[in-house]
Amino acid sequence: MLRSSGDRLILPAVLLACISCLQPGIDPVFLTLLSSVHGLAPDFHGWIVTATQSGMAIGSLLTWRWGTRIPRDAFALAAGFAAVAALATPHTAPFMVLLTVRALYGGAMGMLYTQAMSNAALNRPHGAYGAVFLCQLMLSTGIAIGLPAISTVAGPTMALSALAAAPLGALLLVAFSTRSTAPPQHSPKPGAAQVHENTTLRAWASASATLLFICSTMMIWTFSGALAVKAGISETVIGQAVALGSLAGAATAFLVMRERSVVPPPLTGVLAGLALLSPIAATSTGNAEMFIVAIVLLNIGSTAIIVRTSGLASAASQDSLFRRFVACTHALGMIMGPLTGSLATGLFGDVGLLVAAVMAIAAACLMLLFAEAHSLRMRLWTKPREALQQP
């Protein structure tokens, strides 16, 4: 994969990262189709997503620690495994076997996403994450509209089988992009060690906020379909909501691609947190129009805050290992969210889901506030030193 120079986006890596993280964007439609094929109760949706994201987290962690040592052919093999798992999903009835298949799919995609996203964020971290979200949400829009149509014409089994096109596309990108999965080692810029030392706390706080916001997003996103079904909202409306939400998220991703933020990150976190909670309120009314609006708000808030915090964390460190960790937080958050949501819902019902989401959002906002305070303190501390060093 040819690497761009200067501050241009690394488009092949962006496309590969987009395909590798596609699954969470279509989960509400995917899970409803899965229930149609296997007769799976909505209460088990969280465990399906947990299995997929557990695999993705493991694959992501492996790539984070040993990404530079993994042979290039291993990434092509991972894409091939993901395609086989996707094709096996509609034909695997035993629940435990289905969980294993989805975990294998997630593990393969986690490997691809972490390496591709690390490469994409090399030059312009905010722009790279914004571009990946933009592409992913636009693709999700088409799939959310297309899958129900395929299901109506050819049945839900064929609709699920069609999702194998995503890992096959990833396989083509890996096969024809030799540098996307094996980035060259870069020597640190002058003074990089000092920059890394001064920004470590800010970087880790921003990465922690990213993890928590993704966790809260997935906590609500995973159960939005089940909550809607319980409220009497049809699958068609759910598909329309996901499609419109993806369009709104894509527009948001385009707007937040700039490297400098307009709204302070802590304020963005608060506004985004309120948007994330809106589907819980909307499904309690059973109103289809309110549910669509709530899913749109969730996509706007989630996209804005995840792109912003991911970019802040990546830009705050010169360490390529840490840059892969920032991509890794996406996979970790996507497993923590469904798992936490499943446990909270199982123990305390829908109220437990709300409380868990609020706590995660509040903690994420505190991390952003700490990161902003640390950045301000460092600026105030370095200015007098620079003034003293001037002749």
PDB file of all heavy atoms in Angstrom, residues 119 229 249 346 360:
ATOM      1  N   ASN A 119      -1.656   2.690  10.943  1.00  0.00           N
ATOM      2  CA  ASN A 119      -1.032   3.252   9.749  1.00  0.00           C
ATOM      3  C   ASN A 119      -1.767   4.491   9.269  1.00  0.00           C
ATOM      4  O   ASN A 119      -1.157   5.491   8.879  1.00  0.00           O
ATOM      5  CB  ASN A 119      -1.019   2.208   8.626  1.00  0.00           C
ATOM      6  CG  ASN A 119      -0.126   1.030   8.935  1.00  0.00           C
ATOM      7  OD1 ASN A 119       0.728   1.100   9.815  1.00  0.00           O
ATOM      8  ND2 ASN A 119      -0.320  -0.064   8.233  1.00  0.00           N
ATOM      9  N   VAL A 229     -37.778  -3.518  19.743  1.00  0.00           N
ATOM     10  CA  VAL A 229     -38.698  -4.636  19.517  1.00  0.00           C
ATOM     11  C   VAL A 229     -39.664  -4.774  20.689  1.00  0.00           C
ATOM     12  O   VAL A 229     -40.872  -4.977  20.510  1.00  0.00           O
ATOM     13  CB  VAL A 229     -37.900  -5.938  19.303  1.00  0.00           C
ATOM     14  CG1 VAL A 229     -38.837  -7.146  19.331  1.00  0.00           C
ATOM     15  CG2 VAL A 229     -37.146  -5.892  17.984  1.00  0.00           C
ATOM     16  N   GLY A 249     -24.158  10.405  11.173  1.00  0.00           N
ATOM     17  CA  GLY A 249     -22.813  10.169  11.677  1.00  0.00           C
ATOM     18  C   GLY A 249     -21.750  10.447  10.642  1.00  0.00           C
ATOM     19  O   GLY A 249     -20.676  10.977  10.958  1.00  0.00           O
ATOM     20  N   GLY A 346     -29.231  -7.960  32.860  1.00  0.00           N
ATOM     21  CA  GLY A 346     -29.600  -9.223  33.482  1.00  0.00           C
ATOM     22  C   GLY A 346     -29.861  -9.104  34.970  1.00  0.00           C
ATOM     23  O   GLY A 346     -30.737  -9.772  35.510  1.00  0.00           O
ATOM     24  N   ALA A 360     -20.470   5.329  32.946  1.00  0.00           N
ATOM     25  CA  ALA A 360     -19.374   5.293  31.974  1.00  0.00           C
ATOM     26  C   ALA A 360     -19.183   6.657  31.317  1.00  0.00           C
ATOM     27  O   ALA A 360     -18.050   7.125  31.135  1.00  0.00           O
ATOM     28  CB  ALA A 360     -19.654   4.233  30.911  1.00  0.00           C
TER      29      ALA A 360
END
